[in-house]
Amino acid sequence: MKHTRWVYTPKEINVKRGVAYGLTDLMGGGWNNIVSGVIFAYLTLSVGLNPAMAGAITGIARVFDAIFCLIFGTITDGFYKTNLGKKYGRRHFWMFIGLIGFAISFLAFWVPATSIFGPGHDFIYYLVVYTLTELFVGMILIPWETLPTEMTTDYTKRTVLSGSRMFISATGTSLVFFILAILQSLPSAEAKKNAYLFAGILWTVLFVVAIYISYRSTWERPLTKEFIAELDARPKLTVGQYIKETLHDYGQTFRNLAFSKHLTIYIFSFTGKDFYATLLPTFIVVCMGMASNIPWVLNAFAVFGILSTLAAAKLMITHGPRFLYSLSYIGIIIALIAYGIVYFMHVKNPLTILIIITILYQLSRGILEFTPWNVFPFIPDVDRIMTRGDKAGTYAAVMTFFRKSTGALATWIAGILLEELGYVSTAATQAPGTTDKIALLFVIAPLVLIVIALVVSWTFKLNRQTHAVLQGEINRLEDGGDKRDVTPEAKQVAEELTGHPYDELWPDETYEEVQAEKSKE
């Protein structure tokens, strides 16, 4: 078979190519904000489910999806052994399958369950359809997230790809809320009633087109004779061996100190963002007593996240991720405290002040979302010097697993806490003191998580300079260099990033050779 298909043909990486790659995150960023910011409000304020049941739908589905993602990452890593993988690409094949499934299930989610099955089936319907949608989203995002590592080893070019991705993600976030805000602001009663359905149709068309462009504009590591030989040397495992090795591989990622810190920062900051997005509509409508379209109007200011993302792309190169983390998290902390002050000071006509606070939050959120996934493409390089393996898919799967697990728990816990605090979604007014408790939850829950992420980020050492040193050492060793000739700087950087003595790095046997020996035991 001649591997001359576009999926194996490298092309020039420029801003245009970066935008084409990043278009998938129009769905990625938009979907995550729909999950954390829209679905809970839709299920409680529109469908009428109680908050605990609404939280359970996203919680249960994401637990199943998180388990699926753990298995799926390794499947994509090894899928090039199959004829389908060789022909269509180990990553791109699954992106296309996921795209088709997503187009169907995501649209179905916004169709009222009562119009299909009648009353009494809301919970099961939304749980099943939402779970399927999550699985298809994972099928798209996990292979797509590995593509910068597949497409280039250059830090600046990867930054072009990842930076463009996060710019598009911020655009997706803004479009999601902007579309819903417009539809809910229309004077027609029929339009308001079907606002979520109309928004779902527009979102589906927008996301599907974006993903397909990204799918056709990217490529994978070419299947050279050397690469095929490397892949063929990997052992074929039984189902039991496969599960055992998969769990072992995922556990081994935590031996990577840079990844452990990166994951901690990522999970705590994004979970804090989830709490904010989940609780904001309830805070604005129930606590502040404002109209139902105001949360989406405020969230539409996510467009400011695009501006901060543009700035972050440059600051990532000049100042590094640690600076961006501090800038983002401190801004969010200030915004959260300001929300609490506006509520507890009983500010009259607070919309203008809330807009200013929200703009600060959205500027900071844009950087929060930009930075971790801009760092991620360099994490597998730290593993490379530890294991001599190619496990980008494994790392992407672990990140996705924990992101979806904690995201699920955030929404679920938020729903349970709201019910425990006495919130009744169908009630015209809440019991005395309930709104104060909801406001405190809205401020304190994300605040604590963001503070933890901030503190850990101060110890993070992977940046452009340290990666260049690490990559130089990897290149030297791959060219047959002797470990005894390592420079003091390379030794120090390798040890700081991996968390292991240099003597334990770059083992005599490659990751594939170790796996082959284990399969013979």
Side-chain angles (χ1 to χ4, degrees):
M1 180 187 297
K2 294 183 178 179
H3 302 292
T4 56
R5 293 174 51 81
W6 57 268
V7 76
Y8 293 115
T9 305
K11 304 171 185 68
E12 180 185 1
I13 295 178
N14 49 29
V15 174
K16 181 179 179 181
R17 185 71 55 185
V19 171
Y21 161 77
L23 278 175
T24 290
D25 225 19
L26 196 69
M27 181 274 289
W31 170 247
N32 282 327
N33 283 279
I34 287 170
V35 171
S36 59
V38 178
I39 288 179
F40 186 81
Y42 168 61
L43 294 175
T44 55
L45 300 177
S46 180
V47 176
L49 292 178
N50 70 55
M53 291 182 69
I57 286 175
T58 55
I60 293 171
R62 282 207 152 186
V63 168
F64 278 109
D65 180 50
I67 296 171
F68 165 79
C69 289
L70 275 178
I71 300 172
F72 188 67
T74 301
I75 290 174
T76 68
D77 276 347
F79 194 65
Y80 39 56
K81 293 181 180 180
T82 68
N83 289 332
L84 288 174
K86 290 176 181 177
K87 184 175 182 180
Y88 299 107
R90 56 175 172 167
R91 317 296 189 188
H92 285 76
F93 173 83
W94 292 110
M95 284 180 66
F96 188 73
I97 298 298
L99 173 60
I100 296 172
F102 173 78
I104 298 170
S105 64
F106 181 60
L107 183 58
F109 184 81
W110 306 105
V111 177
T114 53
S115 66
I116 301 175
F117 301 106
H121 298 86
D122 290 356
F123 180 79
I124 297 298
Y125 174 80
Y126 289 113
L127 175 61
V128 171
V129 175
Y130 176 76
T131 301
L132 288 174
T133 305
E134 282 283 13
L135 296 180
F136 290 128
V137 168
M139 202 174 287
I140 295 168
L141 291 183
I142 288 176
W144 174 76
E145 286 161 354
T146 69
L147 292 181
T149 303
E150 295 262 358
M151 294 165 71
T152 180
T153 60
D154 183 83
Y155 183 99
T156 302
K157 290 181 179 179
R158 285 182 180 175
T159 300
V160 169
L161 293 171
S162 298
S164 300
R165 166 198 173 168
M166 301 319 297
F167 170 80
I168 298 297
S169 177
T171 304
T173 298
S174 179
L175 282 174
V176 161
F177 296 126
F178 185 70
I179 289 171
L180 190 54
I182 289 178
L183 290 172
Q184 288 212 335
S185 300
L186 294 175
S188 169
E190 186 68 20
K192 287 184 178 180
K193 178 182 177 182
N194 295 297
Y196 286 105
L197 175 60
F198 294 156
I201 294 172
L202 292 174
W203 291 335
T204 301
V205 173
L206 187 67
F207 294 161
V208 167
V209 171
I211 296 166
Y212 184 75
I213 294 173
S214 181
Y215 163 80
R216 285 304 307 265
S217 303
T218 52
W219 60 90
E220 301 179 18
R221 179 179 172 182
L223 289 172
T224 61
K225 291 182 180 179
E226 294 77 14
F227 190 28
I228 292 174
E230 176 186 331
L231 300 177
D232 289 342
R234 295 181 179 181
K236 294 183 179 181
L237 303 175
T238 64
V239 174
Q241 289 174 325
Y242 172 76
I243 294 174
K244 180 180 178 181
E245 290 303 322
T246 297
L247 294 176
H248 177 265
D249 283 350
Y250 293 147
Q252 289 296 97
T253 61
F254 294 99
R255 296 184 64 251
N256 183 334
L257 182 61
F259 177 69
S260 295
K261 291 184 177 181
H262 171 71
L263 185 64
T264 301
I265 296 166
Y266 173 64
I267 292 305
F268 276 91
S269 62
F270 272 63
T271 305
K273 179 178 73 78
D274 287 340
F275 266 105
Y276 168 91
T278 299
L279 296 170
L280 179 67
T282 307
F283 173 74
I284 295 298
V285 175
V286 177
C287 298
M288 299 298 298
M290 305 179 79
S292 62
N293 68 319
I294 297 300
W296 316 123
V297 172
L298 292 176
N299 276 323
F301 284 98
V303 67
F304 282 89
I306 300 173
L307 301 178
S308 60
T309 298
L310 290 173
K314 182 176 181 180
L315 292 171
M316 182 71 178
I317 296 174
T318 59
H319 288 70
R322 189 160 58 184
F323 173 81
L324 289 178
Y325 285 136
S326 294
L327 187 64
S328 169
Y329 301 157
I330 290 173
I332 290 175
I333 290 169
I334 293 172
L336 289 169
I337 293 173
Y339 279 121
I341 291 174
V342 169
Y343 172 78
F344 286 104
M345 292 293 292
H346 305 290
V347 175
K348 295 183 179 180
N349 302 316
L351 183 58
T352 300
I353 297 176
L354 288 175
I355 288 174
I356 295 172
I357 297 171
T358 301
I359 290 174
L360 172 61
Y361 174 84
Q362 295 296 350
L363 286 169
S364 303
R365 178 203 52 78
I367 302 174
L368 178 151
E369 294 181 351
F370 169 90
T371 309
W373 282 111
N374 216 291
V375 171
F376 173 75
F378 310 102
I379 294 293
D381 292 334
V382 180
D383 180 85
R384 177 71 174 167
I385 201 169
M386 293 173 59
T387 67
R388 297 177 66 184
D390 175 20
K391 297 187 289 183
T394 300
Y395 278 88
V398 172
M399 281 191 67
T400 304
F401 171 80
F402 278 94
R403 166 71 183 122
K404 292 195 172 187
S405 298
T406 56
L409 288 174
T411 305
W412 201 344
I413 291 172
I416 293 172
L417 289 177
L418 283 175
E419 189 164 25
E420 289 297 318
L421 294 177
Y423 171 59
V424 180
S425 60
T426 56
T429 59
Q430 304 297 320
T434 300
T435 56
D436 289 351
K437 297 174 184 177
I438 294 173
L440 284 173
L441 178 65
F442 170 69
V443 173
I444 294 175
L447 184 65
V448 171
L449 295 169
I450 293 296
V451 168
I452 294 173
L454 175 64
V455 172
V456 176
S457 73
W458 290 336
T459 69
F460 192 68
K461 297 184 180 296
L462 181 58
N463 54 43
R464 183 184 184 185
Q465 291 73 31
T466 56
H467 177 264
V469 173
L470 180 72
Q471 188 63 55
E473 179 63 9
I474 291 173
N475 293 339
R476 185 185 74 83
L477 294 170
E478 287 181 335
D479 291 338
D482 195 315
K483 287 177 66 175
R484 291 173 294 183
D485 296 330
V486 61
T487 65
E489 181 186 27
K491 182 175 183 291
Q492 180 182 354
V493 167
E495 290 181 342
E496 286 181 343
L497 294 181
T498 63
H500 299 278
Y502 182 83
D503 291 343
E504 296 179 5
L505 307 179
W506 200 257
D508 294 334
E509 293 182 308
T510 66
Y511 171 77
E512 289 73 22
E513 289 170 343
V514 172
Q515 296 299 96
E517 289 180 4
K518 285 184 177 181
S519 67
K520 297 176 183 178
E521 294 177 356

